[in-house]
Amino acid sequence: MADRYGTIGNMATVGTGYKTALAIQQAATARTRLKLYDFILSASAAPADNVLNWRIRRLTVAGTGTAINIEPVEGAASAASTAATANSKNMTAEPTYTANSELFQNSINQRATFRWVAAPGAELTVPATNSVGIGFEVKSPAYTGEAEVSAYWME
Amino acid sequence: MRPAGYFVSTDPDGRITEGETLQCVHCNAHWIVRPGSGIKRGWCLRCMGPHCGQAACWSCEPFEKKLERWEMRERLVQAARKTLCLDS
Ligand SMILES: [Zn+2]
Ligand SMILES: [Zn+2]
């Protein structure tokens, strides 16, 4: 049976252009497909009425950011094959995204917390291909505080 | 149509908005079902499922086939690198 893993990412300062809050990527030597089944989006600055635009896309080349910790959801699972514990959140140099590869897009009020869960078999799937992955990007016309994303996947 | 995903949005005043997402049979994308949004989606008669409506998804390549093609390309690249001794 597949093991499940989770991590959190953030964008410390949301801007008017898309920036990557979290990238989940295959290792340099991919072992298995990754299946994202659950994510939570939120914003943590003092409550105000702003909109945050989120989108999820496929990426092929890592960017530059801060390291993430990948934790098994069941404590005893083996270490994730997902790579990129370095350079995976709060990115300052964007990963290379695949054109027209939007996997999800939604605009969310800053005061809201948004959670999505896939029906079994309908996960967002990353092929068992070296170094590819999916990224969570966020922007806002006015909000300049922090945005957070939690993500869970099977591999 | 069977939903492919579920979402819940919670406001600070406790108001909860829930809904469903559908998934593209060709590119794996999910979208929130918004009747009357004006966004043109499609239905693939071969896959017997919805597609997201972006240009590439109007022609049929089931997502599973796409995944296999991507993975095959990677294996070919790795094999070629090995043959040409590009990896030391
Ligand atoms: Zn599609
Ligand atoms: Zn089709």
Side-chain angles (χ1 to χ4, degrees):
Chain A
M1 213 189 97
D3 286 324
R4 294 185 291 159
Y5 299 89
T7 194
I8 54 171
N10 73 305
M11 176 44 63
T13 311
V14 174
T16 54
Y18 275 115
K19 289 192 285 186
T20 300
L22 176 65
I24 296 165
Q25 258 185 292
Q26 291 280 13
T29 307
R31 294 204 304 254
T32 178
R33 290 175 182 175
L34 310 179
K35 292 168 183 280
L36 186 88
Y37 65 88
D38 189 343
F39 64 78
I40 301 166
L41 311 173
S42 60
S44 60
D49 274 322
N50 288 304
V51 68
L52 279 83
N53 315 116
W54 287 90
R55 73 178 174 190
I56 303 175
R57 287 195 293 166
R58 295 188 185 279
L59 60 90
T60 53
V61 181
T64 307
T66 309
I68 55 172
N69 293 314
I70 296 173
E71 294 295 330
V73 173
E74 295 91 1
S78 53
S81 78
T82 325
T85 48
N87 295 330
S88 290
K89 68 176 182 180
N90 196 23
M91 294 197 150
T92 51
E94 288 297 295
T96 304
Y97 284 101
T98 306
N100 304 318
S101 71
E102 282 83 355
L103 290 172
F104 186 75
Q105 197 154 14
N106 195 30
S107 296
I108 296 161
N109 189 288
Q110 183 201 324
R111 295 175 189 265
T113 300
F114 180 94
R115 183 178 186 194
W116 171 85
V117 181
E123 301 85 5
L124 298 174
T125 303
V126 176
T129 302
N130 299 351
S131 305
V132 303
I134 50 183
F136 290 79
E137 303 166 272
V138 62
K139 68 172 183 174
S140 173
Y143 180 71
T144 55
E146 182 163 22
E148 297 100 0
V149 47
S150 306
Y152 303 89
W153 67 92
M154 297 180 281
E155 57 179 67
Chain B
M1 210 179 314
R2 227 181 47 186
Y6 308 89
F7 72 89
V8 54
S9 181
T10 313
D11 290 347
D13 59 8
R15 200 173 46 208
I16 287 175
T17 313
E18 290 175 286
E20 295 168 350
T21 59
L22 293 178
Q23 187 174 35
C24 179
V25 291
H26 296 153
C27 77
N28 207 220
H30 277 256
W31 65 89
I32 294 173
V33 182
R34 290 190 178 96
S37 73
I39 301 172
K40 200 172 176 197
R41 312 288 183 185
W43 180 268
C44 179
L45 289 169
R46 262 181 70 194
C47 300
M48 287 309 286
H51 72 73
C52 69
Q54 69 156 310
C57 289
W58 286 92
S59 51
C60 177
E61 183 185 21
F63 182 66
E64 180 60 33
K65 284 272 169 317
K66 207 164 273 164
L67 276 176
E68 286 166 11
R69 179 163 58 80
W70 290 338
E71 288 165 348
M72 174 63 77
R73 186 172 56 194
E74 174 80 8
R75 281 196 293 274
L76 287 172
V77 167
Q78 295 310 320
R81 291 185 68 87
K82 218 171 218 170
T83 308
L84 298 170
C85 301
L86 292 174
D87 298 316
S88 51

